[in-house]
Amino acid sequence: NGTVFALGGGMYNSAVASVEAFDLAAGAHWTPLAASMTTPRYNHAAAVLRGLIYAAGGSSNGGNSLASVERFDGGAHSTWAPVPASMTTARAYFALVALEEGGAGVPPGGLLVAAGGVGNNDNVLASAEAFGPAAPGAAWAAIASLATGRSWCAGAALHGKAYVSGG
């Protein structure tokens, strides 16, 4: 809808849950939103699927990797809510890719794919998992791992496929 969001992050070695928005049409300045994320997090990843913003994983104030996921409905309610299903693996510095429905193997409602990152104990992850939020009883499930563990990586979707690069 022409708005850029800044979600959480770190401030002086402390995780924050605040959210700011920048309206590209109005420009001028960032506006803090009243609705903060439910969990302070930094080193997390975010993706947009079917008009909802998902923030996943990252690091807690104690520096531990998180498995929790939450989503923002910017419509009339403008609220954050925890996603009932956490990722199977706690991860920070990872890629989160949103695949819209219609691609080969992508279920109705789309799919979120989390890949790579750093787990607790600073281990670099090659594992990947997927979540179809529209599926009844939706849960994260392991999918094929990356050939090489990667952290500080980026992800993108193209023609119904998730790509992970860097790290």
Side-chain angles (χ1 to χ4, degrees):
N1 68 1
T3 304
V4 177
F5 292 90
L7 315 171
M11 183 180 290
Y12 308 111
N13 296 321
S14 179
V16 297
S18 60
V19 178
E20 298 178 26
F22 185 84
D23 183 332
L24 294 171
H29 64 281
W30 287 87
T31 304
L33 298 185
S36 291
M37 293 190 298
T38 61
T39 301
R41 59 182 80 227
Y42 62 100
N43 305 325
H44 56 287
V48 176
L49 182 63
R50 296 187 64 159
L52 300 174
I53 300 173
Y54 288 83
S59 302
S60 68
N61 275 323
N64 292 320
S65 295
L66 300 168
S68 62
V69 182
E70 54 191 295
R71 68 177 156 230
F72 178 71
D73 178 352
H77 303 293
S78 291
T79 58
W80 284 91
V83 170
S86 291
M87 294 184 293
T88 61
T89 302
R91 57 182 80 228
Y93 307 105
F94 67 103
L96 184 66
V97 179
L99 298 175
E100 296 290 343
E101 61 187 86
V106 179
L111 201 62
L112 291 172
V113 175
V118 174
N120 288 317
N121 302 321
D122 293 329
N123 54 322
V124 176
L125 304 171
S127 65
E129 53 191 298
F131 176 70
W140 289 85
I143 58 173
S145 292
L146 302 168
T148 303
R150 332 180 156 258
S151 61
W152 298 77
C153 50
L158 180 64
H159 303 300
K161 294 182 180 178
Y163 293 86
V164 177
S165 66

